[in-house]
Each structure stands twice: as structure tokens, then as C-alpha cells.
Amino acid sequence: MDLLPFFQWCYATPVGETIRNSNWMFALIEASHLLGLGLTGGAVLLVDLRLLGVGLVKQPAAQLWAGVQPWLLGSIILMFVSGIPLFMSEAIKCLYSFPFWVKMISLLLVLVFTFTVRRKVILAGATTDRQARFAAITSLVLWFGVAWGGRWIGYS
């Protein structure tokens, strides 16, 4: 499957062109993208550390999940809303960027994992330590892949 025409189209859109031609727009959008990443990290860490037995152990994981889920969803939406125009401004570069593909694959996997397996483990309540550790470590590794890929896109 040849993705080049799609990436070229994204690059040539008025959105991509406007961001590339602006002195400050990329940085402003990037700042909101990083805010979304920080909020996501906070929401993920609260629950994953609880699953690992490190923090907030007196509060049930399901209760923590219920409290952070709106923040997690909002921050993911913020990252998509800001990430798409960032991508459009450098789509051709992204096509040939290994970190971009690490980020996209990790993002797909972590979103599916978070809202299926991890959610099921959290809501089950009486999960084993092994299940909880597996869910937390898998989540953290996948989110690290998203963050690593995002960080290194700028250097590729």
C-alpha cells in the first residue's frame, strides 16, 4: 500500500501550509499537544501506580479509574486535535520517520489496550496482583512508546 499520495495531500493542505509558514503556530499547537500528553500521563500514572501497589493503595482502582477517565478522554481528544495539524505540517517527514511509526503503532495499541484489557482488569475489582501488574506495566510501556516516538520525531 503506497501511503505517499495521502501524506503528500496532508502536507499540501491549507492547514499544513499555514502552520509551516507561521513563525509561532507550530510552537503554540505543540504546547497544547504537550499539555495533553502531561494530562494523559497524570491520569495513566495515577491508575497504573495504584495497580502496581505503589500509590493510593487505600482507594480502589475502579474508583480512581472513574475519577481520571474524564481527564484521560479529554486529554486524548486534545492530543488528537493538536496532533493532526502538527502531522499535516510535516507529513512527508513523518512518512519516512521511524519514531513517527513507533508513536502511531504504540498509540493504536495503547488505546485499544486501555479501553479493553486494562479497563476490564480495573473494573473487575478482585483482580490478582499478577493481572494488575501486567495491565499497569503493559500500559506504561505502550505510553512510553508514544512519548518516545513523539519526542524523537523532531530529531528524525
Side-chain angles (χ1 to χ4, degrees), residues 3-70:
L3 296 174
L4 182 59
F6 173 72
F7 280 67
Q8 288 172 326
W9 175 83
C10 290
Y11 187 83
T13 61
V15 171
E17 189 174 327
T18 300
I19 295 168
R20 279 191 309 279
N21 292 332
S22 173
N23 290 329
W24 54 269
M25 198 172 286
F26 189 93
L28 185 63
I29 297 169
E30 180 74 16
S32 66
H33 195 67
L34 292 174
L35 175 64
L37 179 63
L39 291 170
T40 299
V44 167
L45 279 173
L46 277 174
V47 177
D48 286 347
L49 291 176
R50 167 60 185 88
L51 291 174
L52 290 171
V54 176
L56 301 171
V57 293
K58 292 183 180 179
Q59 192 170 7
Q63 187 179 8
L64 272 176
W65 171 248
V68 303
Q69 189 172 3

Side-chain angles (χ1 to χ4, degrees), residues 98-113:
F98 176 73
F100 171 79
W101 292 107
V102 169
K103 179 180 181 174
M104 291 301 108
I105 292 166
S106 296
L107 182 61
L108 174 65
L109 292 174
V110 79
L111 290 176
V112 170
F113 182 79

Side-chain angles (χ1 to χ4, degrees), residues 4 6 26 38 61 87-88 91 101 113 123 133 140 143 153:
L4 182 59
F6 173 72
F26 189 93
F87 160 74
M88 294 175 95
W101 292 107
F113 182 79
L123 296 179
R133 280 194 309 269
L140 291 170
W143 279 114
I153 287 171

Side-chain angles (χ1 to χ4, degrees), residues 47 51 61-62 65 112-128 131-132 135:
V47 177
L51 291 174
W65 171 248
V112 170
F113 182 79
T114 296
F115 294 104
T116 57
V117 176
R118 182 175 174 263
R119 181 179 179 276
K120 187 175 181 177
V121 167
I122 291 166
L123 296 179
T127 60
T128 66
Q131 288 173 321

